[in-house]
Amino acid sequence: MKTAIITADDFGVSLEVNAAVEQGHREGILTVTSLMVTGAAAEDAVMRARRTPTLGVGLHIALAETPPVLPPETIPDLVDDAGQFRIESLPVALALVAKASVRRQLEAEIFAQFAFFEATGLPLDHVNSHKHMHLHPVIAATLLEVGKRFGMTTVRAPVEPRAVLAQFEPATGLHIAKPFARSVQRRMRGAGMKVPDHTFGLAWSGAMHTDRLRGVLRHLPDGVSEVYLHPATGPYPLSAPSYQYEAELAALLDPVARSIVTNNHIRLARFADL
């Protein structure tokens, strides 16, 4: 049995992303999306989700790029003087391990993001994090502890089988996140969370164009696979210059991809369907 969860990240970050997510679900093979609750267009995203109940919506914990939910002065060790997250910096990453006070600030912000999502009234389909920040062991542990209080049952662990990609286009670059992703997969499953067996989108983040999505679907391994993309109808203030947003939207709408799903008897699912 082959199951594919087709995910769009960054829902709520902009109107361009929101429009692509809705179109990708209504007209293409997109099954779920991940909401950034402090994104500039989060309110619009929630409105679209409410009118599209077949779209699974999860929480995209954001500890970079978007503003925090909490006032910056309440989490001083996690933000810079402008109130922007700086958790990606080495000093903060180390402080999360060494200082209980910093861990308490992290827990408070993650709790606030879960509470913000809960207030939307949307069912929580899954949880992941922007830029896979939950690969940090302390963030993973905090996410698990807080998430269980809010009914979290499914989590992404970006364990990408490069051997599958090599069957049609070998991925370049080091896969340095793999040990951390494996650790997250074990930790979450050990705590009773559902975690896909495979995740695709890491090697080609922002570049999962039509040919690549077709290749992943044609060579999809048995079990549950998540394929995540970053579709948008065009560039937006926080967009990455190298990301092929419109090409990823086109991949979701590709009729050949749909036929591969049908011909290969792939079950398209939300996390909640697992």
Side-chain angles (χ1 to χ4, degrees):
M1 184 73 177
K2 297 181 179 182
T3 297
I5 298 169
I6 313 296
T7 309
D9 280 353
D10 301 344
F11 194 42
V13 75
S14 74
L15 294 177
E16 292 82 2
V17 171
N18 295 355
V21 168
E22 186 172 13
Q23 184 181 7
H25 178 66
R26 291 186 182 276
E27 303 174 21
I29 61 173
L30 184 69
T31 61
V32 306
T33 189
S34 306
L35 176 65
M36 300 176 81
V37 295
T38 59
E43 185 175 346
D44 174 80
V46 172
M47 178 190 70
R48 292 174 189 267
R50 286 174 178 159
R51 72 188 186 203
T52 316
T54 54
L55 175 66
V57 182
L59 174 59
H60 198 47
I61 292 288
L63 300 172
E65 296 187 343
T66 64
V69 170
L70 295 176
E73 60 270 18
T74 66
I75 49 171
D77 294 298
L78 305 183
V79 298
D80 58 22
D81 292 339
Q84 300 298 310
F85 281 122
R86 57 189 184 97
I87 297 177
E88 292 178 280
S89 68
L90 181 59
V92 179
L94 294 175
L96 285 171
V97 177
K99 296 182 179 180
S101 61
V102 181
R103 293 194 294 274
R104 285 193 293 270
Q105 293 173 44
L106 175 72
E107 180 180 2
E109 174 61 25
I110 290 178
F111 185 96
Q113 293 193 26
F114 269 99
F116 200 120
F117 186 97
E118 185 177 64
T120 69
L122 297 171
L124 181 63
D125 182 77
H126 62 275
V127 179
N128 54 45
S129 66
H130 190 48
K131 295 190 172 184
H132 305 301
M133 297 282 278
H134 68 297
L135 295 187
H136 188 298
V138 172
I139 297 176
T142 307
L143 177 64
L144 179 59
E145 180 183 348
V146 175
K148 288 192 292 186
R149 300 184 221 168
F150 286 89
M152 179 179 76
T153 60
T154 55
V155 184
R156 173 190 293 166
V159 178
E160 187 170 52
R162 292 289 179 92
V164 173
L165 306 184
Q167 294 180 62
F168 60 96
E169 183 188 343
T172 59
L174 297 175
H175 194 6
I176 58 175
K178 188 173 182 178
F180 300 98
R182 287 283 188 197
S183 176
V184 167
Q185 189 180 59
R186 289 192 299 269
R187 179 195 291 259
M188 296 299 172
R189 285 180 171 172
M193 298 292 113
K194 298 173 185 175
V195 182
D197 303 301
H198 322 285
T199 300
F200 296 95
L202 192 66
W204 297 323
S205 185
M208 186 66 78
H209 53 61
T210 299
D211 288 342
R212 285 172 172 167
L213 183 56
R214 290 176 183 177
V216 169
L217 293 172
R218 285 192 177 108
H219 297 87
L220 200 73
D222 291 337
V224 178
S225 298
E226 181 188 11
V227 185
Y228 72 89
L229 302 90
H230 300 84
T233 57
Y236 55 92
L238 288 177
S239 59
S242 62
Y243 272 36
Q244 302 171 30
Y245 297 99
E246 293 165 273
E248 295 205 346
L249 173 58
L252 292 170
L253 303 175
D254 176 36
V256 175
R258 171 71 75 177
S259 67
I260 295 170
V261 168
T262 301
N263 295 337
N264 289 14
H265 306 290
I266 297 171
R267 174 198 182 207
L268 292 180
R270 301 169 299 182
F271 283 90
D273 299 325
L274 298 183

